């Protein structure tokens, strides 16, 4: 696959939620790292592992209680996974990437590894930077994702890591599902699908928070475009406005506000924790490869200029 131009490989370190996509053990990782040594490939990790210690007792909580779900995925699961990744990253000197970091308690380990020269990058998601556990209603399974949305204090620490570039990318981790998989009738967090659909609103979500925190449009472009393009080895093709690169652009009004309503959502299943939120940053047009693919007045144009990028 590397020889055919595949740029990276992702694995889960815990059950993925899909039986036919099993997670990797540490012995599996050693074999994979050995194959990736000497290449420019990146190894990406859903960084949670099962922990031996007993979880906090949540037996008194109903299955529709968000606190029960959060207690079932403690920060320790992320910390131990990050420790494993750092150890192997330093051992094999292979580019490694933590996807959708939620637990800020793992950040000291990450900063120390990066300072020691580990080729380690980290991303977090719009939902972790926008939402917090204190405001998740019981039964509101549209908020469920793995790892979970954590506390307001945790969120502030993630923002600090975004500012100091310990976390250098902010992404959607777009994970839609059919309505039934979210168990809307019971609000059962323990059985509902874990994932948030946020691709459409990511730009506006992040920009709204950036405005509040004094970050610029240039900062936003780095976190959501330039840094992600560089991570994928595509910085000479996409990710910025250098003449000669592919024309992938968003024309938008960063000062225009809008309220998220169900009828404006384009993904098939309209479940989202962002309903009712007022955001800054209205998209007017989306251009891919120099072609308009979306117009804010008329919707999608039908143009499909997308392509697969291989090495």
């Amino acid at each position: 696959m590397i020889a055919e131009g595949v740029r990276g490989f992702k694995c889960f370190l815990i059950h993925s939620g899909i039986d036919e996509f099993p997670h990797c053990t540490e012995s599996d990782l050693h074999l994979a790292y050995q194959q990736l040594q000497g290449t420019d490939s990146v190894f990406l990790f859903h960084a949670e592992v099962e922990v031996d210690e007993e979880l906090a007792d949540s037996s008194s909580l109903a299955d529709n209680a968000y606190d029960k779900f959060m207690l079932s995925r403690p920060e320790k699961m992320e910390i131990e996974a990050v420790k494993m990744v750092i150890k192997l990253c330093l051992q094999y000197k292979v580019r490694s990437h933590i996807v959708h970091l939620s637990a800020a308690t793992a950040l000291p380990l990450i900063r120390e590894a990066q300072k020691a020269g580990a080729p380690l990058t980290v991303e977090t998601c719009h939902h972790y930077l926008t939402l917090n556990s204190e405001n998740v209603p019981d039964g509101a399974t549209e908020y469920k994702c793995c790892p979970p949305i954590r506390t307001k204090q945790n969120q502030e620490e993630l923002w600090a890591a975004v500012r100091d570039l310990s976390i250098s990318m902010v992404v959607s981790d777009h994970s839609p599902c059919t309505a039934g998989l979210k168990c809307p009738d019971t609000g059962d967090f323990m059985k509902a699908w874990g994932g948030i659909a946020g691709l459409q609103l990511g730009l506006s979500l992040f920009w709204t928070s950036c405005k509040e925190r004094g970050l610029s449009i240039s900062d936003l472009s780095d976190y959501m475009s330039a840094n992600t393009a560089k991570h994928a080895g595509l910085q000479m093709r996409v990710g910025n406005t250098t003449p000669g690169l592919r024309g992938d652009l968003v024309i938008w009004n960063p000062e225009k506000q809008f309220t998220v309503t169900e009828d404006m959502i384009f993904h098939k299943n309209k479940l989202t924790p962002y309903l009712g939120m007022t955001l800054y940053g209205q998209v007017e047009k989306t251009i891919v490869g120099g072609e308009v693919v979306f117009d804010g007045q008329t919707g999608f144009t039908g143009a499909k200029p997308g392509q697969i990028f291989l090495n």
Side-chain angles (χ1 to χ4, degrees):
M1 292 176 73
I2 295 171
E4 293 300 320
V6 174
R7 294 177 174 274
F9 302 87
K10 181 196 172 184
C11 70
F12 279 74
L13 300 180
I14 195 171
H15 192 282
S16 69
I18 303 173
D19 290 337
E20 58 266 33
F21 186 25
H23 69 282
C24 291
T25 65
E26 186 170 352
S27 59
D28 295 328
L29 300 183
H30 279 285
L31 292 173
Y33 267 112
Q34 289 163 15
Q35 292 292 315
L36 294 174
Q37 274 188 307
T39 74
D40 193 38
S41 298
V42 59
F43 204 178
L44 301 93
F45 297 90
H46 177 124
E48 290 179 284
V49 293
E50 297 289 355
V51 290
D52 292 333
E53 63 191 57
E54 188 174 342
L55 299 178
D57 182 19
S58 62
S59 58
S60 64
L61 297 172
D63 287 345
N64 72 343
Y66 184 71
D67 284 349
K68 182 167 187 172
F69 167 62
M70 194 162 63
L71 288 171
S72 75
R73 310 287 288 224
E75 296 175 29
K76 180 77 169 175
M77 296 171 72
E78 289 190 78
I79 292 169
E80 293 305 313
V82 168
K83 283 181 180 178
M84 183 194 303
V85 172
I86 288 172
K87 179 182 72 172
L88 296 172
C89 179
L90 286 167
Q91 177 180 344
Y92 290 101
K93 302 296 184 184
V94 168
R95 292 175 61 213
S96 303
H97 182 75
I98 305 296
V99 304
H100 50 57
L101 181 75
S102 166
T105 43
L107 287 167
L109 297 169
I110 289 165
R111 291 187 176 107
E112 182 180 355
Q114 291 171 335
K115 188 175 180 180
L120 177 69
T121 51
V122 183
E123 69 184 45
T124 193
C125 301
H126 303 299
H127 39 276
Y128 300 132
L129 296 176
T130 303
L131 307 171
N132 58 74
S133 60
E134 290 89 339
N135 294 323
V136 177
D138 288 344
T141 52
E142 62 270 22
Y143 288 82
K144 180 181 176 180
C145 56
C146 298
I149 295 162
R150 302 192 190 277
T151 64
K152 178 64 175 175
Q153 177 59 40
N154 182 85
Q155 183 184 85
E156 293 303 318
E157 293 175 29
L158 290 177
W159 270 106
V162 169
R163 283 187 173 277
D164 70 21
L165 291 178
S166 304
I167 296 173
S168 57
M169 290 164 249
V170 178
V171 304
S172 71
D173 192 37
H174 184 66
S175 182
C177 68
T178 56
L181 291 177
K182 280 292 191 181
C183 303
D185 294 336
T186 62
D188 189 335
F189 274 103
M190 306 309 293
K191 293 180 179 178
W193 173 267
I196 290 176
L199 183 63
Q200 177 183 344
L201 299 171
L203 174 64
S204 302
L205 288 164
F206 191 45
W207 175 237
T208 300
S209 295
C210 284
K211 278 177 65 70
E212 294 172 354
R213 295 170 182 272
L215 277 71
S216 67
I217 291 175
S218 179
D219 294 325
L220 175 146
S221 182
D222 285 344
Y223 290 116
M224 293 188 66
S225 185
N227 294 350
T228 51
K230 183 178 180 181
H231 172 64
L234 297 173
Q235 68 271 25
M236 301 306 294
R237 301 190 194 182
V238 297
N240 61 74
T241 54
T242 301
L245 271 61
R246 196 175 78 152
D248 294 349
L249 304 168
V250 174
I251 299 172
W252 64 310
N253 184 342
E255 297 304 319
K256 187 172 182 179
Q257 287 184 292
F258 65 95
T259 299
V260 180
T261 57
E262 188 172 298
D263 62 355
M264 64 168 288
I265 295 172
F266 288 106
H267 47 83
K268 181 178 178 180
N269 296 288
K270 311 300 183 182
L271 298 169
T272 173
Y274 304 119
L275 281 179
M277 290 185 65
T278 298
L279 303 175
Y280 281 95
Q282 180 73 54
V283 174
E284 305 294 346
K285 284 185 171 60
T286 304
I287 300 170
V288 177
E291 294 188 52
V292 176
V293 298
F294 173 80
D295 184 292
Q297 298 298 317
T298 58
F300 291 99
T301 66
K304 297 181 179 180
Q307 62 187 105
I308 296 173
F309 286 116
L310 298 170
N311 277 334

